Amino acid sequence: MSRHRGALDTNVFLLLLVGLANREAIARHRRLSAYSAESFELLCRLLAGFDEIVVTPGCLAETTNLLDSDKGSRVRCYQVLKELIRSGDELSEKHVPATKVVKQKPFMWLGFTDASYVELAGQGVPVITADFKLYQQVAARSDRSINFAALSLSHGA
């Protein structure tokens, strides 16, 4: 039986990690100023519909770099990330070869990490993103992709 997978882009994955580590830290994290604890709860409800969360190596690298923005929650966030990776059940890392990423036309204006999500969407993996430029590209390839920024606004989160 196939698993219902959904990919998270960097900012949405950062929200997930910080929220799992400490919901109160969401308000303190400068890279999460557009979100609240309610946004995190909305994301959790959304993710309940998936068996597996997919991230790329680029997303993991970017996210861990962004964790430095809040030194107070960084260690706990790293622990949560380590637990998610070790579990192997809920989170999986999907490598997209660089040769495929750079063939994506959006690579030139989205960059490497986001273009890797365009490739994933092309493989049928819906992408959850708060980046509208990325959302336009992934929605054209997987109509199950989600604009998290618009969704959280419509839910008042």
Side-chain angles (χ1 to χ4, degrees):
M1 182 164 93
S2 71
R3 296 173 54 91
H4 188 192
R5 303 181 314 159
L8 298 183
D9 85 343
T10 300
N11 285 331
V12 178
F13 188 55
L14 179 65
L15 174 63
L16 178 66
L17 281 181
V18 173
L20 288 172
N22 178 358
R23 286 184 185 162
E24 291 79 34
I26 295 169
R28 291 192 314 265
H29 202 286
R30 69 178 176 90
R31 296 300 299 231
L32 296 176
S33 61
Y35 303 108
S36 63
E38 291 79 20
S39 302
F40 169 71
E41 291 166 12
L42 174 64
L43 178 59
C44 289
R45 288 192 303 272
L46 182 63
L47 293 176
F50 293 95
D51 300 316
E52 183 179 7
I53 298 167
V54 177
V55 293
T56 66
C59 173
L60 290 170
E62 287 182 3
T63 301
T64 56
N65 287 338
L66 295 175
L67 288 174
D68 285 341
S69 296
D70 180 21
K71 305 285 187 208
S73 65
R74 182 182 61 192
V75 171
R76 179 65 188 130
C77 289
Y78 273 99
Q79 289 170 335
V80 168
L81 178 59
K82 185 177 178 179
E83 291 166 15
L84 285 172
I85 291 171
R86 279 188 169 171
S87 78
D89 294 330
E90 298 170 9
L91 180 72
S92 69
E93 177 186 13
K94 175 77 169 144
H95 172 73
V96 180
T99 54
K100 283 188 175 186
V101 173
V102 298
K103 285 180 185 175
Q104 293 291 331
K105 288 181 183 178
F107 165 72
M108 296 305 290
W109 68 87
L110 288 178
F112 191 85
T113 299
D114 285 354
S116 69
Y117 280 93
V118 174
E119 176 65 25
L120 286 178
Q123 295 173 15
V125 179
V127 176
I128 303 168
T129 181
D131 179 326
F132 187 68
K133 287 181 185 177
L134 175 58
Y135 173 71
Q136 289 177 306
Q137 297 301 312
V138 296
R141 291 158 178 82
S142 173
D143 62 359
R144 295 179 303 136
S145 291
I146 298 168
N147 180 343
F148 187 73
L151 184 64
S152 60
L153 282 175
S154 70
H155 283 81

